[in-house]
Amino acid sequence: MGEGAPSGDDASTVDAGSGDDSASESANEGGDAGTGPGNPGASVSVTFTYTPQWDGALSVEVVGGFGLSTDWSKTASLVTLTKAGGVFTGTAMLAPGTYLYVFRVKGDALAAAPATYMRYAVDPLDTAFAACPAASPTYSKIDVNPCSQLTVTPAGAGAGAAPVHVNGTVSIGQGPATGWMVWLERDEPKSHHFFANRVTLGSDGTFDLVGSAGSYRLQIQYPTLLSQTDLQRDPSSLMALRRAISDAFKLVATDVAVATPDVGFAQYGLFAPSGDAGTLPTTFSFETGEARLDVYGGAGDGGVIDIGDPWFTSDTTNSGSAAFKGAFNTKQATEDATAPGTRYMWGTEQAFGADASVAWTNQSMVLPVVWQ
């Protein structure tokens, strides 16, 4: 996060209270706090630092509300950070006040276009956050996305929060889930989950992600989720989950070891229908045990590029089947009901580790479905 001291002052930095939960919560509930300088005064030098934990990150920029013409730009930024040994660092002059920002990171070795893939990230070492304003490129009308919140005083911006490690081991069948991705996302109450960092699992299947005090969740994702569409993956041959998502959990002062689900999934032979489903209502068949049916849609073509969150989800069932009448029932749906001839996707979700310290929702890979 940002840290610094008054320009020309060689004194050590002073903590400016960047982890003030009361300020974060009031702004997160819809206020305009944190969108620009709040107190006049001489500008101070503020340092921003971000360490991508994945391979292929090429550039990191700071984008936010700083009272400048570059505020929340999709192309310009406050400052472009300089890379040294995997750490990106840069400084900017800011007047005392409270500011919102995110990092714009280009490059990911696992993406379809590794050199140009772009994502936004909250600062994993900034404990304070607030709702991103409508001008932000990360703003959503559906969910309240968080932005990191920086407080600058005449004495500086304070040091970043103490790092807290989240670690675990992911398996698939009898071996490590080599090549899978594990994402760390900020997931605070009254705020949508948002990307903070990610790792690619090595030959031992272990991960170690770095955050700071706050509420987070994890996603374990199939290795090609950034490089292929859902139609390009064949569930019956891959025999694996699409992803697994943890419930939110707290990070405080000590490192957290998280028990994770096995990401293998061998029940796709029970899935039906695939492709033409005829007319509604449709009864879907899938694995037995506690599971629920999900139907996904999306802009243009039923969510083929990225299914996102389901547009319909059924009640949990143990019967291995569930009926769908055609009406969508989640806030993510942009249509009331299915449109004839449109390709949608469907799959299932299963709970894991309900009695553990961190529970998970496993999501199967998805199949296409079209109604006439």
Side-chain angles (χ1 to χ4, degrees):
M1 67 165 288
E3 57 183 271
S7 179
D9 187 348
D10 294 330
S12 60
T13 60
V14 178
D15 186 353
S18 62
D20 184 351
D21 290 337
S22 61
S24 299
E25 290 173 5
S26 63
N28 193 47
E29 291 172 359
D32 293 328
T35 58
N39 299 303
S43 294
V44 299
S45 178
V46 177
T47 300
F48 293 89
T49 300
Y50 183 68
T51 306
Q53 292 188 255
W54 67 92
D55 292 334
L58 301 176
S59 67
V60 179
E61 298 172 276
V62 179
V63 180
F66 301 101
L68 303 172
S69 61
T70 56
D71 281 2
W72 302 118
S73 171
K74 293 183 179 180
T75 56
S77 62
L78 173 72
V79 60
T80 297
L81 308 186
T82 301
K83 184 178 181 180
V87 180
F88 289 80
T89 305
T91 60
M93 300 300 293
L94 292 174
T98 303
Y99 305 89
L100 298 184
Y101 68 99
V102 289
F103 293 120
R104 182 166 59 221
V105 190
K106 183 173 72 173
D108 193 312
L110 293 189
T116 57
Y117 181 85
M118 197 80 70
R119 62 158 55 92
Y120 290 92
V122 294
D123 190 338
L125 295 184
D126 187 348
T127 60
F129 72 101
C132 292
S136 168
T138 63
Y139 175 78
S140 169
K141 293 181 179 179
I142 299 174
D143 299 296
V144 178
N145 282 329
C147 282
S148 297
Q149 183 172 273
L150 169 68
T151 298
V152 179
T153 73
V164 183
H165 292 255
V166 183
N167 52 67
T169 302
V170 184
S171 62
I172 180 168
Q174 300 300 313
T178 304
W180 285 65
M181 296 177 284
V182 183
W183 294 34
L184 181 69
E185 299 177 318
R186 192 75 183 259
D187 191 9
E188 297 287 348
K190 302 179 182 179
S191 181
H192 195 236
H193 58 86
F194 202 84
F195 181 89
N197 219 322
R198 83 157 189 83
V199 296
T200 302
L201 298 179
S203 59
D204 60 359
T206 64
F207 63 89
D208 184 355
L209 283 151
V210 180
S212 55
S215 183
Y216 292 83
R217 78 173 196 176
L218 295 170
Q219 283 200 52
I220 305 170
Q221 297 189 349
Y222 191 78
T224 64
L225 235 60
L226 296 180
S227 60
Q228 292 183 328
T229 70
D230 287 291
L231 284 177
Q232 291 176 296
R233 283 184 289 273
D234 177 20
S236 61
S237 64
L238 298 175
M239 292 295 181
L241 296 174
R242 184 180 189 274
R243 63 178 180 173
I245 305 170
S246 80
D247 286 353
F249 57 89
K250 290 287 187 182
L251 294 184
V252 284
T254 56
D255 296 348
V256 175
V258 178
T260 60
D262 189 290
V263 294
F265 187 84
Q267 286 76 48
Y268 291 112
L270 302 174
F271 278 35
S274 177
D276 189 354
T279 58
L280 292 161
T282 297
T283 297
F284 289 87
S285 300
F286 43 83
E287 77 275 15
T288 56
E290 288 192 3
R292 64 176 183 259
L293 166 70
D294 288 330
V295 179
Y296 300 87
D301 191 16
V304 171
I305 300 302
D306 183 356
I307 62 171
D309 293 322
W311 285 11
F312 169 85
T313 186
S314 73
D315 294 333
T316 299
T317 177
N318 289 284
S319 67
S321 67
F324 175 60
K325 298 180 180 180
F328 298 121
N329 64 0
T330 71
K331 67 179 182 179
Q332 284 77 21
T334 58
E335 304 168 9
D336 293 330
T338 58
T342 297
R343 178 169 47 195
Y344 298 91
M345 309 295 284
W346 77 274
T348 61
E349 293 185 349
Q350 317 88 32
F352 171 83
D355 298 328
S357 58
V358 177
W360 293 77
T361 298
N362 296 342
Q363 292 185 346
S364 74
M365 292 190 183
V366 291
L367 302 177
V369 60
V370 178
W371 288 276
Q372 306 306 319

